[in-house]
């Protein structure tokens, strides 16, 4: 006689944890609330039973959680998960969602929802005041502008399919964040294990960008073979660590000047003779052939003269910029795809067709670029030779000293905003993965990114360079609490000009002879005398203030010694006030 089928009942929370394991989530960056009780209980059961589940990183603020996940993904290429609390946690995460969307970083953002039953009709029903007030009509709308996909888990029976779908969308090119909402009653439902299916990556995984059509490659190659002033502008090709090497080889072979405008990654060794710097400037007008490669904003049209005769090709994982309501940059030929594969195709096409005249012209351009690079390095050294004065340390000098103190594999996270160019030019990074910027407009990202980078590469020293305004936005008390709890020491350098220089500069650009200038008031000065170093000390870290430029090398050395011994450190530097 046949035996009755064995029924094994588990909660949705159980299958949810199984699903996270199946999609390869290593870390859950969490800011939890009452909506997560079923998950917290299930995690405890798993830990008691010795079962594997993603490691939780508890973050006192959602900004830290989101940007930690972003930094980890930028370094590893593997998107992680963030868990926040209903609508309020989602609201706190929204600025980071903007940055992560603009940065095309894979991330699974999840939030609970206020229970929908009121009188105890189901397990998980409302049992406290906030369950009544934390329910908007459309919670997903808070981040819908910044995610590729959003949904509410309708039933525990589809938990694993929904997680696979979310992961696949996030990791498909162009990558980006997704948002999943989890009702508390749904997390408590029980289902037979035989009814909850798995969805393996080999059958349901992400779609990747590929190579280009041979005809398109040929068209670009023909233009480059005849070019006299070719340029390449990029920002985020370096998300693929192979990109800097491919760009370097192509640029050297074809004599192409390479510019990084607002770089989110290191896209080319900044010691390369082909690296033209951060501002393409006059070269936009001089170019006869231009390549836009994985870049959103290659220059600012209002202050950059363009040449209508320049022929532009755009090679990009996101060539159409569908999330930009208006874009406005030229491209005669658009090649959507993997820039590493496409540039490799282009290099091979050039090598197969290059005649002696082309090779000679490219070599001469390379010689000219090497001279220009040397001149820029000499100019940078000249800027850095001026140490500044007491309470007005020269950022060029400080950053040059910082650059000398770092190893080649150490990671720079740059959120210096108006001093970002100074940081990139003076702290010269040469190796893939050692320079991180950001693509969005939500300030306060670099602290969490630095923590995430340190989690991904614990052997590296991670240095965050940030302005005082962005330091505030980064929720520093949360940053150093996480640094201490999870033993992730980072070195923060705060360039304190006592306010928002971007606000002042924007006003002067629009009204160069206006009343704001005449009275010297730009609504940009922040509270004087704040000691940022104490924020790190409050969490058991090391803090030091620097106002004497002569003391800079020793102060940097002391901070790095503390970081390398396991403590976070903040160096609060007084630079010229805005």
């Amino acid at each position: 006689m046949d035996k009755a089928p064995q029924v094994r009942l588990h909660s949705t929370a159980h299958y949810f944890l199984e699903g996270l394991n199946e999609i390869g989530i290593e870390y859950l960056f969490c800011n939890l609330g009452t909506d997560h009780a079923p998950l917290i209980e299930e995690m405890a059961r798993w830990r008691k039973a010795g079962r594997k589940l993603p490691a939780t990183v508890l973050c006192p603020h959602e900004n830290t959680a989101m940007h930690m996940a972003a930094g980890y993904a930028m370094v590893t290429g593997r998107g992680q998960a963030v868990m926040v609390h209903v609508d309020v946690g989602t609201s706190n995460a929204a600025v980071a969602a903007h940055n992560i969307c603009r940065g095309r970083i894979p991330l699974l953002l999840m939030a609970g929802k206020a229970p929908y039953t009121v009188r105890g009709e189901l397990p998980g029903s409302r049992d406290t005041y906030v369950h009544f007030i934390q329910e908007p009509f459309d919670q997903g709308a808070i981040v819908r502008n910044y995610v590729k996909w959003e949904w509410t888990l309708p039933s525990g029976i589809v938990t694993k399919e929904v997680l696979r779908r979310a992961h696949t969308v996030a990791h498909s090119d162009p990558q980006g964040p997704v948002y999943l909402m989890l009702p508390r009653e749904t997390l408590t439902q029980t289902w037979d294990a035989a009814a909850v299916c798995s969805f393996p990556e080999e059958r349901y995984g992400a779609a990747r960008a590929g190579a280009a059509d041979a005809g398109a490659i040929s068209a670009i190659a023909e233009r480059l073979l005849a070019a006299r002033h070719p340029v390449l502008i990029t920002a985020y090709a370096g998300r693929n660590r192979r990109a800097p090497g491919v760009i370097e080889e192509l640029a050297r072979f074809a004599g192409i000047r390479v510019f990084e405008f607002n770089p989110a990654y290191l896209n080319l060794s900044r010691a390369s003779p082909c690296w033209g710097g951060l501002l393409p400037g006059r070269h936009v007008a001089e170019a006869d052939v231009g390549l836009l490669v994985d870049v959103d904003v290659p220059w600012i049209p209002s202050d950059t003269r363009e040449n209508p005769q320049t022929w532009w090709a755009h090679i990009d994982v996101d060539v159409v910029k569908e999330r930009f309501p208006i874009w406005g940059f030229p491209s005669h030929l658009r090649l959507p795809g993997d820039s590493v594969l496409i540039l490799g195709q282009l290099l091979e096409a050039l090598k197969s067709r290059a005649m002696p005249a082309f090779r000679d012209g490219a070599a001469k351009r390379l010689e000219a670029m090497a001279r220009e690079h040397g001149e820029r390095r000499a100019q940078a050294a000249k800027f850095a030779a001026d140490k500044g004065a007491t309470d007005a340390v020269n950022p060029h000098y400080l950053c040059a000293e910082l650059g000398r103190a770092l190893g080649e594999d150490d990671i720079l996270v740059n959120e210096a905003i108006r001093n970002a160019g100074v940081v990139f030019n003076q702290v010269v990074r040469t190796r893939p993965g050692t320079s991180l910027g950001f693509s969005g407009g939500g300030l306060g990202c670099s602290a969490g990114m630095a923590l995430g980078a340190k989690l991904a590469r614990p052997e590296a020293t991670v240095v965050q360079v940030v302005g005082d305004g962005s330091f505030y936005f980064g929720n520093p008390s949360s940053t150093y609490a996480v640094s201490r709890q999870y033993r992730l020491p980072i070195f923060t350098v705060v360039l304190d000009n006592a306010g928002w220089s971007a606000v002042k500069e924007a006003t002067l650009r629009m009204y160069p002879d206006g009343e704001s200038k005449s009275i010297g008031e730009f609504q940009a000065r922040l509270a004087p005398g704040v000691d940022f170093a104490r924020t790190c000390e409050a969490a058991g870290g090391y803090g030091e203030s620097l106002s004497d430029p002569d003391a800079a090398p020793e102060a940097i050395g002391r901070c790095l010694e503390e970081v390398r011994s396991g403590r976070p450190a903040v160096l609060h530097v007084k630079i010229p006030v805005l």
Side-chain angles (χ1 to χ4, degrees):
M1 184 175 179
D2 293 337
K3 294 183 178 179
Q6 183 71 34
V7 176
R8 292 179 295 142
L9 294 177
H10 298 291
S11 70
T12 299
H14 172 92
Y15 298 118
F16 179 85
L17 295 179
E18 284 191 342
L20 291 179
N21 282 339
E22 290 177 8
I23 63 174
I25 296 298
E26 301 159 82
Y27 290 97
L28 269 173
F29 299 93
C30 299
N31 189 285
L32 301 171
T34 60
D35 41 323
H36 300 120
L39 286 172
I40 293 168
E41 179 66 12
E42 192 63 30
M43 288 177 180
R45 288 195 188 101
W46 280 42
R47 289 195 176 96
K48 186 175 181 179
R51 297 191 62 172
K52 175 184 175 293
L53 72 160
T56 55
V57 178
L58 303 182
C59 301
H61 196 279
E62 293 85 351
N63 186 53
T64 307
M66 291 286 284
H67 285 119
M68 278 192 77
Y72 189 91
M74 291 177 79
V75 171
T76 65
R78 301 190 299 275
Q80 301 302 308
V82 175
M83 186 78 72
V84 301
H85 180 41
V86 291
D87 61 334
V88 289
T90 303
S91 296
N92 272 347
V95 169
H98 157 88
N99 289 335
I100 291 161
C101 169
R102 293 307 188 199
R104 297 171 189 80
I105 299 168
L107 181 145
L108 172 55
L109 171 61
M110 296 175 288
K113 293 193 75 173
Y116 52 80
T117 53
V118 176
R119 296 174 177 84
E121 298 94 329
L122 293 172
S125 185
R126 296 182 182 187
D127 59 14
T128 188
Y129 169 78
V130 294
H131 291 162
F132 289 85
I133 63 168
Q134 291 178 337
E135 183 181 26
F137 287 107
D138 188 356
Q139 183 172 310
I142 298 169
V143 292
R144 191 168 295 134
N145 278 315
Y146 309 124
V147 297
K148 295 178 66 178
W149 172 98
E150 58 97 0
W151 210 36
T152 299
L153 181 65
S155 168
I157 197 73
V158 293
T159 301
K160 293 185 179 182
E161 183 170 13
V162 170
L163 285 172
R164 173 58 68 188
R165 174 66 176 162
H167 187 269
T168 292
V169 172
H171 285 80
S172 292
D173 288 325
Q175 297 179 345
V178 296
Y179 182 56
L180 176 62
M181 290 163 281
L182 307 167
R184 196 162 81 156
E185 292 94 335
T186 304
L187 290 172
T188 65
Q189 294 172 350
T190 56
W191 300 91
D192 182 7
V196 181
C197 300
S198 295
F199 293 81
E201 183 176 11
E202 57 268 23
R203 295 185 65 194
Y204 300 94
R208 301 296 189 195
D213 173 80
I217 295 295
S218 179
I220 301 175
E222 288 302 319
R223 293 280 181 170
L224 283 175
L225 287 168
R228 298 171 63 86
H229 302 288
V231 300
L232 186 155
I233 306 173
T234 185
Y236 62 92
R239 73 193 187 286
N240 184 333
R241 289 202 177 191
R242 293 170 51 211
V246 173
I247 292 173
E248 174 91 30
E249 187 177 359
L250 173 66
R252 285 179 178 270
F253 184 79
I256 303 173
R257 284 182 178 82
V258 179
F259 298 92
E260 296 181 292
F261 192 77
N262 195 46
Y265 299 84
L266 185 136
N267 304 285
L268 176 72
S269 168
R270 291 168 192 151
S272 168
C274 300
W275 190 67
L278 303 166
L279 300 172
R282 63 179 176 82
H283 293 283
V284 173
E286 294 175 356
D288 52 2
V289 176
L291 303 180
L292 304 180
V293 179
D294 286 332
V295 61
D296 289 333
V297 182
W299 59 82
I300 304 301
S302 63
D303 61 17
T304 303
R305 187 169 65 87
E306 300 177 28
N307 181 355
Q309 303 305 313
T310 307
W311 188 87
W312 292 97
H314 190 176
I315 300 165
D316 204 313
V317 74
D318 182 15
V319 73
V320 177
K321 311 299 177 188
E322 291 181 357
R323 289 189 170 272
F324 289 62
I326 191 165
W327 191 57
F329 294 94
S331 53
H332 296 83
L333 181 62
R334 295 178 180 178
L335 278 69
D338 183 324
S339 60
V340 169
L341 296 178
I342 294 172
L343 293 178
Q345 289 178 283
L346 180 58
L347 180 60
E348 290 306 310
L350 289 172
K351 286 181 176 180
S352 68
R353 305 181 194 188
M355 302 298 287
F358 167 79
R359 293 176 181 271
D360 182 60
K364 290 179 179 177
R365 289 194 294 274
L366 187 61
E367 291 176 5
M369 289 187 288
R371 287 194 298 273
E372 293 172 11
H373 186 272
E375 291 167 0
R376 282 195 304 275
R377 295 310 312 151
Q379 186 66 36
K382 182 178 179 181
F383 286 144
D386 176 12
K387 295 182 179 182
T390 301
D391 289 328
V393 179
N394 179 9
H396 288 274
Y397 160 70
L398 178 86
C399 291
E401 291 297 331
L402 177 63
R404 278 189 274 273
L406 296 181
E408 288 186 318
D409 292 315
D410 292 337
I411 298 173
L412 170 71
V413 184
N414 185 354
E415 195 186 7
I417 309 303
R418 304 313 297 171
N419 282 300
V422 174
V423 176
F424 282 135
N425 277 304
Q426 298 290 356
V427 186
V428 178
R429 300 285 82 195
T430 62
R431 296 191 177 182
T434 60
S435 176
L436 300 179
F438 73 111
S439 303
L443 301 184
C445 63
S446 58
M449 287 169 56
L451 290 172
K454 182 66 176 178
L455 182 65
R457 284 193 54 209
E459 77 286 356
T461 298
V462 180
V463 181
Q464 170 204 12
V465 184
V466 62
D468 54 317
S470 294
F471 185 78
Y472 281 117
F473 285 127
N475 307 97
S477 57
S478 174
T479 298
Y480 301 111
V482 171
S483 176
R484 176 179 182 174
Q485 183 172 357
Y486 296 98
R487 299 179 182 175
L488 298 171
I490 60 172
F491 178 22
T492 300
V493 179
V494 184
L495 303 179
D496 180 8
N497 61 5
W500 297 320
S501 61
V503 173
K504 176 182 177 180
E505 291 173 17
T507 306
L508 287 172
R509 285 197 301 272
M510 288 193 68
Y511 305 102
D513 298 309
E515 297 302 330
S516 296
K517 181 179 180 180
S518 70
I519 66 172
E521 178 54 67
F522 300 94
Q523 304 298 327
R525 295 297 298 274
L526 298 176
V530 176
D531 188 347
F532 298 127
R534 294 287 183 91
T535 308
C536 188
E537 291 176 351
Y542 177 78
E544 184 168 344
S545 295
L546 176 67
S547 57
D548 177 5
D550 288 330
E554 292 78 10
I556 291 170
R558 285 190 292 271
C559 289
L560 285 172
E561 183 178 356
E562 293 289 339
V563 169
R564 288 164 180 164
S565 69
R567 297 173 73 198
V570 168
L571 181 62
H572 178 188
V573 185
K574 298 293 184 65
I575 65 173
V577 298
L578 57 86

